[in-house]
Amino acid sequence: MINEMAQDPVLMEEFLTESEELLQRMDQDMVLLETHPQDAEILNRIFRALHTIKGTSGFLGFDAIVRLSHQAEDVLNFLRRDEIRVTTAIMDALLQSRDQLGVMLGDIRQGGLREYSLDALIAELVSAQKPAGEAQHKAESKAARLEKSASGKAGSAKTSSSGLKVAPAPSVPTASSVRILEAAASVAVAQSPAEPAAAPRVEAAKTTDPQGHTLRVDVGKLDELVNLIGELVLERNRLAQISRDLTSSLDDPRVIAEALSLSTSRLSFITDELQTTGLKTRMVPIETVFRKFPRLVRDVAHSLGKDVELIVRGEDTELDKTMVELIGDPLIHLVRNSLDHGLEMPELRVTKGKPRKGTIRLEARQEGDQIVISIRDDGAGIDPERVAKKAIEKGLVTPDRVRALSRAEILDFIFLPGFSTAEKTSNLSGRGVGMDVVRSNLKKMNGSVQLQSEVGAGTTVLLRLPLTLAILPVLLVRVREDVYALPLRSVIETARIERREVHKVEGGEILHLRDRTLPLLRLGRIFRQAEAPDGDDRAVILGLGERRVALLVDQLLGQESTVIKPLSSLFHHIACLSGATISGDGRVRLVLDPAGILAAAEGMHELARGASA
Amino acid sequence: MSATAIARTGEELLQLVSFRVEDEEFGLEILRVQEIIRIQQLTRVPASPAFIEGVINLRGRVIPVISLRRRFGLPQVPADKQTRIVVVEVNGSVLGFMVDAVSEVLRLPASAVEPAPRIGRVEREYVRGVGKLENRLLILLDIDRLMSEAEEEACVELTQP
């Protein structure tokens, strides 16, 4: 029976969040254990995590969880005592148990435990407890023990062993919630002053969203936030004083003016800091995403018969919570691609003189105001000729055009919808959801994706993301009477251009800049406005991956860090706009979408080519 | 305007904000109106449908402003001191309607509203009814209808090259 503790939403949220975190870490640790079977520290970590889940579940009355985790715990105990050895079969059973626990926790979130047929899994765990080829009597005694625990309705007997029932009844709720809080190392909330802790706790209680819209925030960040709010209050008091002085006009107006200007400059400093700190509270380490991968790589590599080592670096790189949620799927897709299409079968690798074991390197780092995530494999690489052939077959490009394209431009075809070079589709990748989805997901986050590949040596995919979704450094430009904002990260350079560098070609204009030829675009043309007399002599070179376009503008107005606001759905079909910002004078500035502009430029040139062909 | 209100007063009263576009007077249920603001610096949105005047900054929110003159195909006039933006929520999004002037808040018995004949240049499907005042007529606008059709038109207009 589920006891009344399980009715307490705060307690339940704590239990679920904690257990889910433990399970995630356990996933990683279990895969690690398989490759480092002698590492007692890993083994102990898994054991402790499982024990914590078992203990709390027992206390809350989730008997099915207790029953399963108890058996898994026994297997771990045998491993700890060196009575059995780590084998793939044992790890499979343990990983399956972990997954099953995850399912159960998910069901609890959805409303409660269901009926589970755990017998097969438990039998597997029990057989794992048998040292391979050892005496029969030990296994029998084991079986007897299992029967006893099963018939004894698991829960009650096991709970007492976890020590929770020892506490006298009235004090149980507090004891348990403190214990839950303390168990997760990152929850500093419990030790923090009551005030800052209140906010996330309340939120945690309110939300029951399975996606986990709650956030564990480092107390240091919250303290900083509270300090800044304190300063804000002080500054408000100062302003109030100035206002009183003005009314009574006791002071010299000049003195008041000086005080006012001092106060506003302090105020702007505080609000800037407040904004930065506020955003920092939303930052979480990318580890929460990377954690999934050791398991994923293990399972997929096993099923493909490939030998793969996953190297993960930069797990502590922080990025916005929203971004962490959005980046998961594209990453899974890319890693699966590497496993499936990138890395060769072990035998083939050996004949090519490569190490039998393939390597996938997943790395995150911060570069300026961007986060760069790279997925690198030492596999077969992507053959541009095959890509070109496929692109021609699919009618994405004409054979004539291909000859004029650079290697990088050809590889870029991979990101077009409906493109897949996989000769046979497997159940892993090449299912039609391809790289175009990765690119469009990245675009949603104001990021970009870039591909580098060398035949025989491997492929690297670089994902670039802004640090946060909210703040965007932009370049303000004037085009006739309108001012637009261009995301700075897509601006490669700005140039003063001369008329003789611009050439009319079919479908538009091109710009010769140093030794490069770029499509040239006038905003008026995209927006189908009447052509204005030539006045523009400034070009902003925009770049996404390897693609470039020159955008003609009348004036560069400077840079600004802005907060991006969504535009009404009435404007969503305008491809070249991605949002709006509000500038210092309170006016709305439209934010141009570099990807849309590039597409428009390419579309125009494409149209002309089609017409001439 | 609930059933109980009718029962209590014996007759349902409509509370309306009335405004003027060209020489027609319109009414909008007061509960739909969030606020009425003076005209302010508009930012044009290129390639947007013709009836959209631009976007404005409403205390940090960027909202589109729709010109009712343009929507009804009336000639353009420069904004003056009387010009107002009526801020309304339609289908969950906030937007502004630019009108020539806002006249007053008035009460109208429901019985004084009649189904719409075809009036002037305003197409009948956007009209919920016509309210009879002492010596004038008030057109009750159906803004949900007006906007959902506007949005459809916007999509069609822009997907065609």
Side-chain angles (χ1 to χ4, degrees):
Chain A
M1 263 312 289
I2 292 169
N3 62 35
E4 71 258 39
M5 290 311 145
Q7 308 296 322
D8 180 343
V10 180
L11 198 59
M12 282 307 292
E13 182 61 37
E14 296 285 2
F15 161 66
L16 289 171
T17 315
E18 182 205 28
S19 303
E20 278 159 359
E21 269 195 23
L22 288 171
L23 278 186
Q24 275 199 4
R25 222 166 289 158
M26 207 189 290
D27 197 36
Q28 224 173 353
D29 282 338
M30 282 182 174
V31 176
L32 209 57
L33 184 66
E34 200 171 15
T35 45
H36 302 84
Q38 299 304 322
D39 195 325
E41 181 48 38
I42 301 171
L43 192 55
N44 284 333
R45 253 197 330 251
I46 300 172
F47 188 86
R48 278 196 302 268
L50 203 58
H51 193 76
T52 305
I53 294 173
K54 188 183 87 171
T56 324
S57 301
F59 168 70
L60 291 168
F62 297 123
D63 292 348
I65 294 185
V66 174
R67 190 170 155 227
L68 182 60
S69 44
H70 177 72
Q71 287 305 327
E73 213 180 272
D74 272 358
V75 175
L76 291 167
N77 254 330
F78 276 89
L79 285 169
R80 289 217 286 196
R81 293 198 300 260
D82 263 341
E83 287 177 38
I84 53 173
R85 260 165 223 282
V86 172
T87 64
T88 310
I90 289 179
M91 289 320 295
D92 278 341
L94 284 174
L95 282 164
Q96 271 178 39
S97 312
R98 190 218 76 102
D99 292 350
Q100 181 60 41
L101 290 174
V103 168
M104 291 166 159
L105 289 174
D107 288 341
I108 293 174
R109 262 199 199 284
Q110 299 297 329
L113 286 174
R114 298 162 209 250
E115 289 291 311
Y116 306 94
S117 45
L118 299 173
D119 294 346
L121 191 52
I122 287 183
E124 235 175 282
L125 288 172
V126 172
S127 76
Q129 292 161 15
K130 279 182 260 177
E134 234 196 54
Q136 193 69 24
H137 71 272
K138 203 162 186 180
E140 270 165 17
S141 70
K142 204 65 217 142
R145 234 183 100 184
L146 167 71
E147 219 158 280
K148 197 181 107 203
S149 77
S151 63
K153 269 284 162 204
S156 55
K158 299 309 151 210
T159 339
S160 59
S161 75
S162 76
L164 275 165
K165 266 198 168 169
V166 178
S171 71
V172 161
T174 40
S176 88
S177 66
V178 166
R179 204 193 56 76
I180 291 171
L181 282 169
E182 280 171 353
S186 63
V187 184
V189 170
Q191 308 119 22
S192 71
E195 225 176 313
R201 283 291 296 277
V202 169
E203 206 182 271
K206 261 189 286 181
T207 175
T208 50
D209 193 301
Q211 298 288 310
H213 281 284
T214 53
L215 193 59
R216 287 168 187 273
V217 179
D218 178 64
V219 180
K221 288 176 182 173
L222 286 176
D223 285 346
E224 214 178 310
L225 210 53
V226 172
N227 281 343
L228 282 165
I229 294 168
E231 285 189 47
L232 202 59
V233 171
L234 286 180
E235 213 48 54
R236 183 203 59 195
N237 296 346
R238 255 176 229 135
L239 275 173
Q241 182 58 46
I242 293 171
S243 142
R244 274 195 299 276
D245 289 352
L246 263 175
T247 341
S248 58
S249 53
L250 283 177
D251 266 330
D252 183 347
R254 267 174 301 182
V255 176
I256 295 176
E258 204 173 296
L260 194 59
S261 105
L262 196 68
S263 192
T264 43
S265 74
R266 269 196 302 255
L267 205 57
S268 91
F269 171 77
I270 297 168
T271 47
D272 282 355
E273 285 290 299
L274 204 54
Q275 189 180 32
T276 320
T277 315
L279 286 168
K280 265 195 226 153
T281 57
R282 295 183 47 91
M283 304 288 269
V284 291
I286 199 165
E287 195 204 344
T288 49
V289 184
F290 280 7
R291 266 204 286 248
K292 292 182 205 152
F293 286 96
R295 171 74 186 278
L296 180 104
V297 170
R298 171 200 187 262
D299 287 0
V300 175
H302 272 222
S303 75
L304 291 170
K306 290 181 181 177
D307 203 358
V308 183
E309 186 185 6
L310 176 74
I311 300 170
V312 180
R313 292 283 177 273
E315 305 97 312
D316 50 357
T317 312
E318 291 198 322
L319 73 168
D320 195 280
K321 163 91 171 153
T322 326
M323 218 99 71
V324 166
E325 280 161 14
L326 289 171
I327 198 69
D329 284 348
L331 274 182
I332 288 177
H333 185 82
L334 291 169
V335 170
R336 286 192 155 181
N337 254 348
S338 281
L339 283 165
D340 205 22
H341 306 312
L343 297 175
E344 311 92 330
M345 296 302 285
E347 301 74 39
L348 188 62
R349 289 181 64 88
V350 172
T351 61
K352 283 185 174 175
K354 287 181 173 182
R356 202 183 149 77
K357 194 174 225 167
T359 306
I360 293 178
R361 206 182 157 90
L362 188 59
E363 192 170 355
R365 61 179 183 275
Q366 188 174 345
E367 271 181 22
D369 61 348
Q370 288 188 331
I371 296 292
V372 182
I373 303 171
S374 62
I375 304 101
R376 178 180 313 225
D377 67 58
D378 64 347
I382 303 170
D383 183 358
E385 275 178 37
R386 260 183 67 207
V387 173
K389 201 175 132 225
K390 193 91 174 180
I392 294 167
E393 265 171 38
K394 301 239 165 185
L396 298 168
V397 67
T398 60
D400 284 346
R401 175 134 191 245
V402 164
R403 261 170 253 133
L405 294 177
S406 71
R407 221 183 115 82
E409 282 169 319
I410 290 173
L411 288 184
D412 219 48
F413 283 126
I414 291 173
F415 293 106
L416 292 180
F419 187 96
S420 169
T421 50
E423 240 100 77
K424 60 175 167 60
T425 53
S426 70
N427 59 342
L428 300 172
S429 36
R431 291 160 302 176
V433 244
M435 297 291 276
D436 60 314
V437 178
V438 173
R439 176 166 277 180
S440 67
N441 274 353
L442 264 291
K443 199 196 139 179
K444 263 186 231 156
M445 294 177 255
N446 274 319
S448 68
V449 52
Q450 204 183 337
L451 194 100
Q452 294 158 357
S453 186
E454 202 176 318
V455 179
T459 304
T460 302
V461 181
L462 288 174
L463 307 180
R464 286 172 193 280
L465 293 167
L467 267 182
T468 119
L469 285 173
I471 289 196
L472 186 73
V474 294
L475 174 69
L476 291 175
V477 298
R478 186 174 61 79
V479 182
R480 271 169 278 164
E481 65 268 35
D482 299 320
V483 175
Y484 295 101
L486 280 163
L488 208 54
R489 73 176 148 271
S490 302
V491 176
I492 308 290
E493 61 173 318
T494 62
R496 182 180 287 276
I497 56 164
E498 288 178 36
R499 204 121 309 280
R500 61 180 169 80
E501 291 168 324
V502 179
H503 300 274
K504 283 222 185 296
V505 294
E506 259 173 298
E509 290 165 298
I510 51 167
L511 170 70
H512 283 299
L513 187 70
R514 295 187 290 274
D515 53 351
R516 249 193 109 143
T517 307
L518 310 166
L520 183 87
L521 204 66
R522 294 167 201 270
L523 267 188
R525 189 138 181 210
I526 312 178
F527 295 141
R528 290 184 223 120
Q529 293 162 336
E531 294 278 337
D534 276 341
D536 11 52
D537 62 346
R538 290 280 185 173
V540 179
I541 316 298
L542 296 175
L544 264 189
E546 293 298 317
R547 298 140 81 213
R548 298 280 181 277
V549 66
L551 189 70
L552 268 194
V553 300
D554 290 324
Q555 200 185 353
L556 304 173
L557 298 172
Q559 298 176 11
E560 222 173 66
S561 263
T562 55
V563 178
I564 193 152
K565 311 258 176 183
L567 271 178
S568 152
S569 61
L570 281 171
F571 306 119
H572 278 183
H573 34 262
I574 306 178
C576 295
L577 296 180
S578 62
T581 92
I582 292 164
S583 59
D585 59 2
R587 288 197 59 167
V588 179
R589 304 291 183 211
L590 299 174
V591 181
L592 296 175
D593 170 24
I597 290 174
L598 270 158
E602 282 156 11
M604 279 177 194
H605 284 259
E606 204 61 54
L607 221 62
R609 271 197 203 92
S612 67
Chain B
M1 277 118 269
S2 63
T4 49
I6 301 168
R8 221 181 296 126
T9 58
E11 183 161 38
E12 189 187 359
L13 273 182
L14 299 175
Q15 261 199 307
L16 303 166
V17 172
S18 80
F19 54 85
R20 190 174 54 75
V21 179
E22 186 91 345
D23 43 15
E24 311 266 23
E25 202 175 1
F26 295 88
L28 203 56
E29 266 176 70
I30 200 160
L31 291 174
R32 296 298 301 268
V33 178
Q34 293 195 344
E35 60 187 301
I36 296 162
I37 53 175
R38 284 171 194 281
I39 187 83
Q40 48 166 292
Q41 281 278 20
L42 274 152
T43 300
R44 284 196 312 142
V45 181
S48 60
F51 58 84
I52 295 180
E53 198 69 32
V55 286
I56 55 165
N57 165 15
L58 182 73
R59 289 185 301 278
R61 272 175 99 171
V62 176
I63 66 164
V65 174
I66 283 127
S67 156
L68 280 184
R69 277 188 169 269
R70 287 186 201 262
R71 188 76 193 111
F72 299 146
L74 296 167
Q76 290 302 293
V77 291
D80 57 27
K81 270 194 229 158
Q82 301 289 304
T83 310
R84 292 287 183 279
I85 295 170
V86 182
V87 180
V88 187
E89 193 183 310
V90 180
N91 300 327
S93 56
V94 177
L95 38 89
F97 287 102
M98 199 160 105
V99 301
D100 289 355
V102 169
S103 332
E104 57 183 324
V105 173
L106 45 83
R107 281 167 210 271
L108 192 68
S111 59
V113 178
E114 285 176 10
R118 187 172 168 84
I119 322 151
R121 277 158 287 202
V122 184
E123 285 154 69
R124 194 196 294 189
E125 54 263 40
Y126 309 139
V127 178
R128 284 180 47 205
V130 174
K132 274 198 223 142
L133 294 168
E134 278 156 37
N135 50 0
R136 53 199 174 132
L137 290 177
L138 196 68
I139 302 170
L140 270 59
L141 267 188
D142 186 343
I143 46 167
D144 300 312
R145 190 90 174 257
L146 188 86
M147 281 323 295
S148 64
E149 273 174 42
E151 213 156 319
E152 273 167 36
E153 280 172 43
C155 286
V156 173
E157 202 171 305
L158 275 135
T159 44
Q160 282 167 357

